[in-house]
Amino acid sequence: MDRIRIVGGNELHGVIPISGAKNAALPLMIASLLTDDTLTLENVPHLADVEQLIRILGNHGADISVNGRRERQGESYARTVHFTSRNIVSTTAPYELVSKMRASFWVIGPLLAREGKARVSLPGGCAIGTRPVDLFIEGLAALGANIEIDGGYVNATAPAGGLIGARYVFPKVSVGATHVLMMAATLANGTTVLGNAAREPEVVDLAKCLNAMGAKISGQGTSTVTIEGVRSLSGARHRVLPDRIETGTYAMAVAMAGGDVILEDTEASLLDTALEAIRRAGAEISETNSGIRIVRNGAGIKPVDIVTDPFPGFPTDLQAQFMGLMTRSSGVSHITETIFENRFMHVQELARLGAKISLSGQTAKVEGVSRLKGAPVMATDLRASVSLVIAGLAAEGETMVSRVYHLDRGFERLEEKLTRCGAHVERVSD
Ligand code: UD1
């Protein structure tokens, strides 16, 4: 199994190209099931989760082809992928496929809307809390679906004439449930109004793509989204928005290691709250024509408290990385996680590098230390694993991160992007 070896101490200087967002690409790919026409997505990142979803969509009958790589110094960082689901050959998403990635559960929305039925295994995914599916079930039932759970599967059936537009207010903000309800409602009879909807940029990106396919969605990016049902959707061409989590991760890597880096093909407005926290920690951040420049020269890292929240709050997907950064701050910081109940598995691994962190409920108290020392550590989930890389960049000596398949789920060419900027990071295959 591959491991990542980091020798800390080098500053980062150069340019890092930011990939298309994994969390936007996945729902966009799933939206292709809503039409018998071709949906072309540009800027699709090459990641294990994307490959897994390609297999899942293929199982439902999608014909998928890849071309048009974006080259940079001989490496391809993005792909254009065409999805055509002329006929849906199966409305079942089996356990073997869905258990590997939670987002694959989301096929339930398009399958139900287009075919009138779906049988989808209850999901798996990262081990960061229980992550139930009650909001999906309640929301689809509000659109008239009959839903039963049997033998680990959710069996959903639409009324004879199709799903029916309705008003549904989410009792809790959920990105995935907002994606699914929005997709399902595009082909429902009548108008659907979703209250307390997620406002994440990935929801806005999906709405934009669905509208290009002929849907009638408004209010995306606010907490009330209105979807007027249409009879059918057509194909479209859409560019996946930049990955704000990857952007924030590399910004924190530069803040940690020091240096001067341009994050290319991204937008500061996607992560204002996180960038503000990094600024308060002592880095200079400015916008350039093509992205963001981040500089930290000399000055140390200041302690900053953060609380994760749904967008536009501080993203839970950057919490572990920020904790990595705070391990080297000059004081005490508090990091509070409000989205997932079990998202502190990186704490004990960061402690192996010499970090001083104590947990009290949903808050971690991080006492900054003047030095971290490299050690063998284990990746526990996607975002936790990259926090170990960030800490490793500033640790003395060698940090060896095992179980890097977690990293490969969400970070495209991580070691190459960091190495090009002067970091000592390499993949070691056993
Ligand atoms: C998405 C992101 C993930 C990110 C998360 C929160 C993708 C592929 N994944 O995950 O990276 O960390 O948003 O920003 O886009 N919940 C329920 N019942 C439900 C559904 C969710 O209680 O039916 C809870 C979850 O357990 C969690 C909270 O709602 O506590 C938010 O989860 P949600 O926004 O749904 O996360 P995902 O869409 O799975």
Side-chain angles (χ1 to χ4, degrees):
M1 227 183 281
D2 287 0
R3 290 178 294 167
I4 299 271
R5 179 173 176 269
I6 305 149
V7 180
N10 292 6
E11 286 198 348
L12 301 176
H13 290 269
V15 176
I16 297 181
I18 297 301
S19 299
K22 169 182 89 81
N23 285 356
L26 299 179
L28 289 165
M29 291 166 67
I30 289 172
S32 70
L33 292 175
L34 285 164
T35 173
D36 59 8
D37 219 340
T38 300
L39 176 65
T40 298
L41 297 178
E42 296 171 6
N43 202 28
V44 177
H46 194 185
L47 297 168
D49 273 9
V50 167
E51 298 310 301
Q52 176 65 11
L53 187 55
I54 284 179
R55 280 189 282 279
I56 289 167
L57 297 177
N59 174 63
H60 296 300
D63 185 26
I64 298 162
S65 63
V66 179
N67 64 21
R69 290 165 199 277
R70 176 162 64 109
E71 302 283 337
R72 188 186 168 82
Q73 296 174 15
E75 305 288 355
S76 72
Y77 282 106
R79 305 175 300 165
T80 296
V81 188
H82 310 276
F83 301 86
T84 313
S85 301
R86 194 86 55 219
N87 297 302
I88 301 290
V89 298
S90 168
T91 52
T92 298
Y95 175 73
E96 304 76 69
L97 293 176
V98 179
S99 59
K100 295 208 175 82
M101 181 180 50
R102 181 178 162 86
S104 47
F105 181 79
W106 302 348
V107 296
I108 195 167
L111 291 177
L112 185 60
R114 181 167 159 193
E115 298 295 302
K117 60 180 180 163
R119 177 173 159 76
V120 181
S121 170
L122 288 165
C126 273
I128 52 170
T130 46
R131 304 184 92 175
V133 291
D134 54 319
L135 304 177
F136 297 81
I137 290 174
E138 221 183 81
L140 291 172
L143 298 187
N146 177 38
I147 298 182
E148 284 165 18
I149 299 182
D150 178 36
Y153 278 78
V154 177
N155 295 315
T157 328
L163 294 171
I164 305 156
R167 186 178 171 78
Y168 177 70
V169 180
F170 292 99
K172 179 175 188 179
V173 178
S174 162
V175 176
T178 303
H179 285 322
V180 165
L181 268 285
M182 210 163 69
M183 287 192 276
T186 56
L187 295 180
N189 297 300
T191 300
T192 299
V193 180
L194 300 175
N196 198 23
R199 292 181 283 162
E200 267 66 4
E202 293 75 19
V203 170
V204 177
D205 207 37
L206 175 62
K208 198 170 149 195
C209 177
L210 289 168
N211 282 343
M213 293 163 73
K216 291 189 173 158
I217 304 175
S218 57
Q220 61 273 19
T222 75
S223 52
T224 305
V225 178
T226 304
I227 307 119
E228 250 179 82
V230 295
R231 286 189 69 82
S232 66
L233 295 178
S234 60
R237 191 176 183 95
H238 178 83
R239 183 173 175 80
V240 178
L241 95 169
D243 196 317
R244 64 195 165 98
I245 303 304
E246 194 196 23
T247 305
T249 299
Y250 288 122
M252 290 179 201
V254 179
M256 183 67 156
D260 184 347
V261 169
I262 292 192
L263 305 175
E264 204 177 55
D265 298 334
T266 188
E267 291 160 33
S269 61
L270 296 171
L271 68 162
D272 281 335
T273 310
L275 291 179
E276 187 48 35
I278 301 169
R279 238 182 229 123
R280 282 167 50 213
E284 288 164 41
I285 296 173
S286 52
E287 289 185 51
T288 70
N289 287 343
S290 64
I292 299 168
R293 179 173 176 203
I294 164 138
V295 184
R296 188 173 73 79
N297 285 326
I301 300 163
K302 297 190 198 89
V304 177
D305 293 346
I306 57 143
V307 178
T308 64
D309 255 324
F311 191 85
F314 190 99
T316 174
D317 285 351
L318 285 172
Q319 179 257 106
Q321 296 89 315
F322 198 73
M323 193 184 297
L325 176 62
M326 287 298 107
T327 59
R328 284 289 314 277
S329 86
S330 56
V332 177
S333 58
H334 296 89
I335 296 184
T336 304
E337 172 60 53
T338 70
I339 311 288
F340 293 110
E341 76 261 29
N342 187 23
R343 206 166 205 187
F344 280 135
M345 284 177 301
H346 42 286
V347 168
Q348 59 192 32
E349 299 302 307
L350 288 170
R352 292 177 55 76
L353 300 173
K356 278 179 79 177
I357 307 168
S358 55
L359 283 179
S360 169
Q362 292 296 92
T363 299
K365 178 179 167 196
V366 187
E367 289 173 64
V369 293
S370 57
R371 65 190 277 259
L372 296 173
K373 194 158 182 311
V377 288
M378 198 183 282
T380 50
D381 73 51
L382 169 54
R383 311 304 180 183
S385 54
V386 80
S387 76
L388 301 173
V389 175
I390 289 181
L393 290 174
E396 288 168 17
E398 177 184 295
T399 298
M400 189 68 102
V401 185
S402 57
R403 300 203 179 162
V404 297
Y405 52 83
H406 288 295
L407 274 178
D408 295 335
R409 287 187 48 210
F411 288 90
E412 190 177 27
R413 299 181 179 276
L414 172 107
E415 63 274 25
E416 288 167 21
K417 290 187 183 186
L418 286 172
T419 305
R420 289 239 170 82
C421 290
H424 192 143
V425 180
E426 63 183 335
R427 186 173 288 254
V428 183
S429 298
D430 295 329

